[in-house]
Amino acid sequence: MEIKQLPHNHGANTEALIREREMAPDITTFKAAADTFALLGDASRLKIFWLLCHTEECVANIAAAVDMSAPAVSHHLKALKNAKILQSRKDGKEVYYKLADTYEADLLHKAADSFMNIKCPSEVL
């Protein structure tokens, strides 16, 4: 539904709101973004995500690093991988996870570092 007229006309602000509304992505784009933000709304999942922004690691080591069981970590990894935030590779019997090589994953990495006021370890070296 396009907004042609708003209940109150506040001049330039109202014109800007109408322009922004017309340029806004469709609801499916907002839903996808909301789902991604919801994924990172879990502290354990966010911690796993943040760790994997800086290294590639197997489930057993991730579980030990975040003090969680391997099945719990696997559950979080599956959700993050399905959202295309993480990627994996298999080497023998081990599966290694790391940040996906996408614009969105990189943007989320930068946002997490910035929000937590943490300098990315790769920038410290």
Side-chain angles (χ1 to χ4, degrees):
M1 180 176 143
E2 285 189 34
I3 298 175
K4 298 287 185 200
Q5 213 171 19
L6 296 174
H8 301 270
N9 186 339
H10 302 289
N13 288 345
T14 300
E15 291 171 20
L17 177 61
I18 291 170
R19 274 193 314 276
E20 291 299 321
R21 168 61 174 96
E22 290 171 355
M23 294 172 46
D26 64 24
I27 193 65
T28 58
T29 302
F30 282 105
K31 171 110 175 69
D35 290 347
T36 299
F37 287 128
L39 269 176
L40 295 177
D42 177 277
S44 295
R45 197 172 290 143
L46 180 58
K47 185 173 185 179
I48 292 166
F49 167 77
W50 187 83
L51 287 171
L52 294 174
C53 286
H54 306 105
T55 189
E56 178 183 61
E57 203 46 82
C58 68
V59 175
N61 285 351
I62 297 165
V66 298
D67 196 29
M68 292 174 68
S69 70
V73 167
S74 292
H75 172 76
H76 290 305
L77 290 170
K78 181 180 179 183
L80 293 166
K81 187 177 175 191
N82 286 343
K84 296 179 176 53
I85 297 172
L86 296 181
Q87 61 189 43
S88 66
R89 70 174 178 86
K90 194 166 183 162
D91 185 6
K93 292 183 178 184
E94 295 286 350
V95 178
Y96 292 87
Y97 293 86
K98 69 177 185 174
L99 184 69
D101 189 21
T102 64
Y103 171 77
E104 293 81 4
D106 186 56
L107 188 60
L108 289 169
H109 168 205
K110 290 175 183 170
D113 282 350
S114 180
F115 188 81
M116 294 184 286
N117 199 23
I118 298 171
K119 190 160 194 94
C120 181
S122 66
E123 294 176 10
V124 175
L125 301 176

